[in-house]
């Protein structure tokens, strides 16, 4: 009967529409803003290597599983899990996996919109020529002026959230699909331009080496609050969490997109394509940013402001920089938008299905609540940045980021893997993936059944200190 099941929210117009939308969800601030700054904070190449490994043996198999569950269930993640659990005679508790996803998406959106607001602000900053000829110090002070002003941040955050709500309210086809078709390729081209600029700085080799030469000492020994290098496994968790974050896994976003996927599309191929494109974008962003960091004597580990303190230097010095710069931030804002919409889609789909909300009404509610929570992240960069407002040395923003990306997403992904591999019948998986019992299926099944769950569990327990080597 699975053959004739259709989602009440509509369907993608085809396999490419899904690839575009899922890539739109995957490629976002995670690739261009977060990947470079956490790579900088965690010592460079070795971190990148661990991250790539996580993508390959954990991210891609779990992505396949998540799309598969979505397409089989054809509903919002909560109802998909409830339905599949019944169909596979598993416990009804599995629906809470859908619930956790809805909550995670909502929490992520709250701070995602704040950072996306920075990108929107930078469209205008760059266009106005503020960066023309600017020094690294000048660029840094423009950034700190912005983040220390809660009212300005609130305005940009609000603008971004409203745009997200408008797109989501318009629905699967008209809203989500179109935004990605032209903007993703354009962003890609602009990244290439930036890498081209970076190649002309005399620090290109240093930047590329930082990104691509693994130095495991720099990964595992990090300075603590007293500046003493300490052995820590936490970077592994950060790399793992980021693999989930950047592929939009573990909270139902890819599941809900999968539920709109036409029956004949190949889930394995599309997942691999999406993961490759996502990884490519992140690496290009790194290649563009680190040469600028080293050419200007900046600190790679300077945190969430990294791209906003580096790329404007490039735009300030290249011909046509104000134009290219504002175009870049426009595209970054769109990339963030196509990711943000996937963060609330599971919640919206659920409110429509279970509570008879209209799409518009559901979107407004979720958006409004998430916007409100975002204020906490805004304050984390100014009036709540002091130590008296921190918990475990982390601001509200840091805590939310840590809780969602490093804890909720890996746990969600782990449960998705367990459900697909241990609760669903093998034949259901094979049927939904449209595979014969050949090498591809066996390989995936092995990864999802043993490798991904064990790896996630070890990294997880280790990082939270319950397991030490
Ligand atoms: N993947 C997006 C990025 O890299 C962020 C994102 C969108 C996301 N949807 C998600 C992260 C779902 C986790 C879960 O910017």
């Amino acid at each position: 009967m699975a053959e004739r099941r259709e989602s009440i929210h509509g369907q993608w117009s085809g396999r490419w529409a899904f690839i575009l939308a899922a890539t739109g969800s995957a490629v976002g601030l995670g690739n261009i803003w977060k990947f470079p700054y956490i790579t900088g904070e965690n010592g460079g190449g070795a971190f990148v290597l661990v991250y790539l490994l996580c993508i390959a043996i954990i991210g891609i198999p779990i992505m396949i599983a998540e799309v598969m569950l979505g397409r089989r269930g054809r509903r919002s993640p909560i109802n998909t899990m409830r339905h599949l659990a019944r169909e596979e005679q598993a416990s009804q508790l599995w629906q809470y996996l859908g619930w956790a996803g809805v909550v995670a998406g909502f929490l992520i959106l709250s701070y995602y919109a704040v950072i996306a607001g920075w990108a929107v602000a930078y469209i205008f900053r760059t266009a106005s020529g503020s960066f023309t000829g600017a020094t690294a110090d000048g660029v840094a002070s423009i950034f700190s002026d912005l983040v220390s002003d809660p009212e300005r941040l609130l305005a940009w955050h609000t603008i971004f959230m409203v745009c997200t709500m408008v797109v989501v309210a318009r629905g699967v086809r008209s809203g989500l699909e179109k935004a990605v078709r032209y903007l993703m390729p354009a962003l890609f081209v602009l990244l290439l331009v930036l890498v081209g600029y970076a190649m002309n700085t005399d620090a290109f080799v240093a930047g590329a080496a930082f990104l691509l030469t693994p130095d495991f000492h720099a990964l595992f020994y990090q300075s603590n609050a007293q500046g003493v290098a300490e052995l820590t496994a936490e970077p592994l968790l950060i790399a793992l969490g980021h693999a989930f974050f950047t592929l939009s896994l573990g909270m139902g976003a890819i599941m809900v997109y999968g539920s709109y996927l036409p029956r004949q599309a190949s889930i394995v191929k599309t997942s691999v394509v999406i993961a490759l494109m996502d990884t490519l974008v992140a690496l290009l962003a790194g290649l563009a940013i680190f040469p600028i960091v080293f050419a200007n004597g900046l600190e790679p580990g300077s945190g969430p402001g990294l791209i906003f303190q580096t790329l404007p230097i490039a735009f300030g010095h290249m011909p046509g920089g104000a134009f290219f710069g504002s175009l870049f931030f426009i595209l970054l804002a769109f990339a963030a938008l196509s990711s943000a919409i996937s963060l609330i889609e599971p919640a919206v789909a659920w409110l429509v299905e279970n509570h008879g909300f209209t799409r518009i009404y559901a979107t407004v509610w979720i958006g409004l609540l998430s916007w409100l929570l975002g204020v906490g992240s805004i304050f984390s960069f100014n009036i709540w940045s002091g130590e008296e407002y921190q918990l475990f040395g982390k601001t509200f923003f840091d805590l939310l980021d840590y809780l969602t990306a490093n804890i909720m997403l890996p746990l969600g992904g782990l449960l998705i893997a367990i459900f697909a591999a241990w609760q669903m019948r093998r034949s259901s998986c094979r049927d939904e993936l449209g595979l014969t019992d050949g090498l591809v299926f066996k390989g995936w099944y092995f990864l999802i059944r043993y490798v991904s769950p064990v790896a996630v569990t070890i990294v997880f327990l280790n990082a939270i200190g319950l397991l030490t080597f």
Side-chain angles (χ1 to χ4, degrees), residues 25-26 28-31 108 112 245-246 248-249 251 253 339 342-343 409:
S25 165
L29 295 173
N31 307 60
I108 295 174
Y112 203 82
F245 187 89
T246 193
S248 303
L249 296 180
M251 54 68 68
S339 302
S342 73
L343 285 165
L409 299 181

Side-chain angles (χ1 to χ4, degrees), residues 42-57:
N42 291 286
F47 180 81
V48 175
L49 197 68
V50 174
Y51 156 78
L52 291 177
L53 208 68
C54 289
I55 295 276
I57 65 168

Side-chain angles (χ1 to χ4, degrees), residues 75-139:
R75 292 165 173 85
S76 71
I78 296 175
N79 290 326
T80 285
M81 289 314 298
R82 178 183 297 158
H83 187 86
L84 291 180
R86 195 172 312 127
E87 198 169 80
E88 303 289 338
Q89 281 141 19
S91 158
Q92 278 298 307
L93 289 176
W94 281 102
Q95 64 180 289
Y96 292 104
L97 173 56
W99 269 103
V102 166
V103 174
F106 165 80
L107 297 179
I108 295 174
L109 180 64
S110 76
Y111 67 85
Y112 203 82
V114 172
I115 310 292
W118 300 358
V120 181
Y122 267 59
I123 299 172
F124 300 97
R125 274 272 156 223
T126 324
S128 71
S130 307
F131 297 120
T132 311
T135 59
D137 282 345
V139 169

Side-chain angles (χ1 to χ4, degrees), residues 100-292:
V102 166
V103 174
F106 165 80
L107 297 179
I108 295 174
L109 180 64
S110 76
Y111 67 85
Y112 203 82
V114 172
I115 310 292
W118 300 358
V120 181
Y122 267 59
I123 299 172
F124 300 97
R125 274 272 156 223
T126 324
S128 71
S130 307
F131 297 120
T132 311
T135 59
D137 282 345
V139 169
S141 81
I142 289 178
F143 178 72
S144 69
D145 281 351
L146 173 69
V147 293
S148 59
D149 183 346
E151 281 154 27
R152 264 161 73 198
L153 293 186
L154 185 66
W156 296 119
H157 169 57
T158 308
I159 290 173
F160 184 82
M161 197 62 102
V162 168
C163 293
T164 306
M165 284 154 61
V166 169
V167 179
V168 173
R170 293 182 58 198
V172 172
R173 281 231 187 148
S174 47
L176 312 194
E177 246 183 76
K178 286 205 186 100
V180 218
R181 180 151 292 162
Y182 303 102
L183 300 173
M184 284 295 127
L187 178 66
F188 189 77
V189 171
L190 233 78
L191 272 177
L192 289 178
V193 171
L194 276 170
V195 174
Y197 172 85
M199 280 180 170
N200 285 321
T201 63
D202 42 13
F204 185 70
V205 175
F210 178 77
L211 193 67
L212 303 173
T213 324
D215 171 357
F216 283 95
H217 191 270
L219 179 69
F220 288 120
Y221 286 88
Q222 302 210 347
S223 338
N224 61 15
Q226 287 78 42
V228 181
E230 253 181 5
L231 180 66
T232 165
E234 205 177 39
L236 297 182
L237 182 65
I238 297 175
L240 176 75
H242 189 61
F244 283 99
F245 187 89
T246 193
L247 294 177
S248 303
L249 296 180
M251 54 68 68
I254 288 295
M255 196 185 289
V256 88
Y257 277 19
S259 75
Y260 309 144
L261 182 65
R263 169 103 197 127
Q264 60 287 3
S266 157
I267 293 179
V268 174
K269 269 191 230 152
T270 43
S271 302
V272 171
V273 170
I274 293 161
L276 286 180
M277 293 201 277
D278 184 77
T279 307
L280 190 62
V281 171
L283 292 177
L284 283 179
L287 271 184
I289 286 166
F290 286 110
I292 304 175

